[in-house]
Structures are given as C-alpha cells and as structure tokens.
Amino acid sequence: MTTDARGSRFEALGAYLPSTVRSTPDLVASVVGLPDVDLTRITGVTQRRVYDPRPEAGEDSYGLALRAAQDALGHSRYDAGDLDVVISASITRFRDGDDFYFEPSFAALLAKELGAHRAIHFDVSNACAGMMTGVHLLDRMIRAGIVRNGLVVSGEQATRVAETAAREIADSYDPQFASLSVGDSAVAVILDRAVDDADRIHYLDLMTCAEYSHLCLGMPSDRTEGIALYTDNRQMHKEDRLRMWPAFHGDQLAKLGRNFTDEQFDYIVQHQVGTRFIDYVNRTGAAEFGTEMPQSLSVVEEFGNTASTAHFLVLQRHLKAGTARRGARYLLVPAASGVITGALSATITNLGV
C-alpha cells in the first residue's frame, strides 16, 4: 500500500454503451430448454446493452474501446499526442467482426488511431480486474516519475458468451448460467500526477490466490440468499472467498496503523456481478470490519455485469448523473477470476466525465 506524496489522480473518465437494449425476460426466452427461471430476481439485472453485430457499426471490442477513449479525451485537458502511455485491458479482443486479436496489441492499434504516437503501449490481461491492473501499473509509473500521464481503456463485447450460453444451457445450475448476466460496454480513464488532495488515488493494491483460479466460475443461484459460487467446497468455501477482500484490505490498513473506519469512505463500488452478490459482500464487509459499509453504488440493474469495465462504468454513470457527490472518497473493490481481490481508494472532485 503506497502513500507516495507524488501520487496520481483520475483526470478524465469516458465510456461508451451500445444503443441496443435487451431485457432479461427476452434473453431468458431465447434459452433453449431452460425451465421457468426468474433471472431478474436471482441477479437483479433487468436489462443490458448489446453490441450491434454489423461490422460497419463499429461495436466490436476494439470499436467500443476506441469510442470510450475518444470520450475520455473529450473530457481531458490532454490531447492524444500528449499521452505517455496507452494500456488496453480488454478480456474480449474482437475486431473486424469475428476476428479475435492477440497481435498486434489493442493498445498499439488504439494509440495509432487516437494519434498517441509517442506513447508507450501495451496490453494487460487479468480477467475482470483488467482495468484495475492497468490503473495499478500506470499509478506506479506516475509515482516513480517514469511518465507524466496515461490512458487505460477496455472494451468488452461480453454478450457473446451469453449467446453461446443460451444455445447450450440445460438447467439453471449449468456452469454457464452466470453468462446470462453480462452486458457490453467500454470505459477509459486518464491518469496524471496529483496536484492536491481534492483529486488523488490514495492507494491501489491487488492480491491473487492463483491456487483457486480453476474454481472461479460464478453461478447465480435461486437456492441461496446470496450467490452460489461454483467451487469445490473442500478447497474454498463461498464465504471464504467473500471474506478475501475484508481480510486483505484490513491487513493492508493494519500495516499502516489504520482501520476501515479511519478511511472515512463515502461510497463503495463492488464488482457488478449482481445485486445479491453486491449486498452479500457488503454485509460480509460490515461483519468483518465491525462497522457499516459506505453507500453502495451500482449500475448492474441496468447494464449487467460488464466485466473489466464494471467499476469505472459505475463511477462514470453516477458522476455524470450527479448521484454521487464530488469531493467524496471512493472505495472500489475488485473481484475476478484468479481469484483476485483488492482495494482502490481515491478522492474524486474535478474528474471530467
């Protein structure tokens, strides 16, 4: 947990959402052989945005990311040519229709098309913690004085997995069931050096328990109050995974002689798996820390689980709508395959959205 006085801040935030809206009942109706399941009640997701499959629509992973990056630059004091770094964090890497790209990297392609000709560029891949990982790396580069600023971007064409799941699911306990909760979106965030405490990333730390990565299949369940995780309980029980964040975060704070209450968070943003998951993790945090959680922000009801873009889509929507107070302290809690957890603490006042 780093508290370097030369820390970074969020300078601008952009997003792009496809215009096509698909309701949860409509999606469930397309699942062949699925019994009568109230997916809306189980996940809390009422609808999601879905990419336009026409190549000319430009809503593949790359096109989504490009539009989010352009939106972020539109709210920034920097031009693309001013950027020192471009980092792409997409899980899905579709471009030119159905082509899945590994090389050239999305970051290289985006930097070229945006006009960030002098920028270092590279991709990162860390499941739903991809954006957090990109921000983590860029934050450290700024703190070290290696770069002045940079862009982290992700475009997720995630509903492709929902289309596959709809063709293959046989019952509500199929491991692919959670795929029905995803949605498509893109986000991009620009970081630069903090100049005061009004806008500052206080710390960002991540932890992975790679031993359990093969177990991380999320499966919303109508048999529990929370969310059933498709895991081998002999190795990692559901509650143990949900306690990972408060255990890790509490340990990191203890090393600095602080506790959760000392942080005085105004808002908390959990990974947008579903409303039950968010409620359950917040209740677990309250029990483990012995204090009430901050106000929880979410958009999962309207947009579903948007993978690596989820936390920053929540920020963008609430800041843009004015439903989150500027000048507040935010806690973003990642949860991803790997199994990954962590904590991002930031004060946000003048962020362009």
Side-chain angles (χ1 to χ4, degrees), residues 16-23 45-52 59 64 156-160 181-186 299-306 313 317:
Y16 178 79
L17 290 157
S19 60
T20 303
V21 177
R22 191 174 195 188
S23 72
V45 179
T46 61
Q47 61 186 37
R48 74 277 296 132
R49 298 297 178 91
V50 178
Y51 72 99
D52 186 330
E59 289 189 347
L64 294 171
E156 297 291 20
Q157 198 176 347
T159 56
R160 280 178 174 265
S181 67
V182 300
D184 299 328
S185 78
V299 295
V300 67
E301 303 88 345
E302 185 178 359
F303 301 114
N305 178 359
T306 58
L313 182 62
R317 300 300 291 185

Side-chain angles (χ1 to χ4, degrees), residues 1-2 10 131-140 143 191 201-206 248 252 312 332 334 341-345:
M1 185 174 291
T2 306
F10 293 123
M131 278 292 295
M132 290 282 192
T133 303
V135 170
H136 174 84
L137 294 171
L138 181 52
D139 169 73
R140 296 305 192 267
R143 289 178 187 272
L191 275 66
I201 296 175
H202 303 290
Y203 53 79
L204 168 54
D205 289 282
L206 298 170
F248 172 72
Q252 295 296 91
F312 293 95
L332 278 58
T341 189
L344 186 161
S345 170

Side-chain angles (χ1 to χ4, degrees), residues 4-74:
D4 190 333
R6 298 189 304 168
S8 69
R9 66 174 179 175
F10 293 123
E11 191 268 340
L13 175 60
Y16 178 79
L17 290 157
S19 60
T20 303
V21 177
R22 191 174 195 188
S23 72
T24 296
D26 179 56
L27 176 62
V28 171
S30 72
V31 182
V32 178
L34 187 67
D36 187 20
V37 172
D38 190 347
L39 187 63
T40 302
R41 182 183 65 82
I42 295 169
T43 65
V45 179
T46 61
Q47 61 186 37
R48 74 277 296 132
R49 298 297 178 91
V50 178
Y51 72 99
D52 186 330
R54 298 173 302 153
E56 62 269 23
E59 289 189 347
D60 50 28
S61 308
Y62 178 82
L64 294 171
L66 178 64
R67 294 181 185 187
Q70 291 168 334
D71 187 43
L73 286 165

